Amino acid sequence: MNIIAIDIGNTNITIGLFLDGKEQFIKSIPGSSRAELVSCLESAWQKVPIAENSKEKKRDGAIVVSSVKPAWTELITNIVRDSLGEKIYIIGKDIPLPMPTWLDEPDKAGTDRILSAAAAYAVVEDAVVIADFGTAVTIDLVDEHGVFQGGVICPGFEISAKALKENTAQLPNVKVTKPQGPYGKNTADAINCGLYYSVIGALEEVIRRYAEQIGKWPQTVITGTDAETIKDDCAFIDNFVPHLVVKGVVLAYQKYIEEKAASEL
């Protein structure tokens, strides 16, 4: 199975190349960098082998996308069509979600959340919490039967810092990093501590409440751009896995291919 797996987020577009199911590379690119996106996709597609017995020399692979930003879905669609002469397959539209959900409005849940959850559950095979630290912070629960139950959504570091800057007269904009201590000696450090520790505290509290709901403490996996910033101060998490959504895209496509093959027997 050869696949270019693409995770379109609110800030970055992450592209992963998998040949025979094995990861070759995963790269995050700002969605505004069209030239870099074109270069990365062209380079990745050239590595996909030509299909056997293909008279048209078509490559034996697929380009599969998860997206939370429709404008960038159109951007990637156009790049893939114009530069590669191919089409994309969209998770939730062309390819089913790889996990059942128990939600009020399942069609409105971000596919990135469910793909991350499916990738985590495929490894844990038990109740698991998936926390994704990006533009927004999502903390989701999968039960022991592999059903996506839902979760919480909070503002990410950048959004929170921007809100403080824009809604006060004198507070500066701060890029959140791991603090040197539990409190700041100046305004910028105080904001940094506040945003940093509030997210860690929220994560631990949400997991505790999930544990009370399901009767046991679930394993916890964190992912996303800002997850690496906080992971060393989260003794209650089990794993930090970069690019979990991309791995969920691969899982969804693999399940789709297997189910399609089985239905044709």
Side-chain angles (χ1 to χ4, degrees), residues 212-232:
E212 291 174 354
Q213 185 76 15
I214 65 175
K216 63 181 178 181
W217 190 270
Q219 291 200 49
T220 300
V221 179
I222 65 172
T223 190
T225 306
D226 291 322
E228 193 164 10
T229 303
I230 67 163
K231 66 182 178 66
D232 292 336

Side-chain angles (χ1 to χ4, degrees), residues 133 157 177-179 196-197 200 203 222 226-240:
F133 294 84
F157 286 144
T177 59
K178 183 176 180 179
Y196 181 88
Y197 291 119
I200 293 174
L203 176 59
I222 65 172
D226 291 322
E228 193 164 10
T229 303
I230 67 163
K231 66 182 178 66
D232 292 336
D233 278 323
C234 298
F236 51 88
I237 67 167
D238 297 286
N239 288 290
F240 162 59

Side-chain angles (χ1 to χ4, degrees), residues 8 15 42 59 78 111 129 136-137 139 143 186 221 260:
I8 299 176
I15 299 171
E42 287 181 343
R59 298 192 180 275
N78 292 339
T111 57
V129 172
V137 175
I139 308 170
D143 69 16
N186 56 65
V221 179
K260 185 178 178 182

Side-chain angles (χ1 to χ4, degrees), residues 156-203:
F157 286 144
E158 187 174 346
I159 290 176
S160 297
K162 185 178 180 181
L164 284 175
K165 163 67 176 174
E166 292 184 352
N167 291 281
T168 61
Q170 298 186 37
L171 294 182
N173 194 28
V174 171
K175 179 173 175 56
V176 177
T177 59
K178 183 176 180 179
Q180 297 298 310
Y183 48 82
K185 291 289 191 178
N186 56 65
T187 301
D189 286 351
I191 294 171
N192 187 63
C193 287
L195 298 180
Y196 181 88
Y197 291 119
S198 63
V199 164
I200 293 174
L203 176 59

Side-chain angles (χ1 to χ4, degrees), residues 58-76:
K58 286 187 68 67
R59 298 192 180 275
D60 184 18
I63 302 161
V64 185
V65 174
S66 165
S67 177
V68 299
K69 197 164 187 174
W72 285 357
T73 307
E74 184 177 358
L75 170 67
I76 291 296

Side-chain angles (χ1 to χ4, degrees), residues 113-149:
R113 294 169 60 194
I114 298 169
L115 290 168
S116 289
Y121 182 80
V123 175
V124 173
E125 296 185 330
D126 199 356
V128 61
V129 172
I130 308 90
D132 191 334
F133 294 84
T135 305
V137 175
T138 58
I139 308 170
D140 295 315
L141 174 67
V142 177
D143 69 16
E144 62 186 357
H145 304 294
V147 179
F148 184 91
Q149 294 291 323

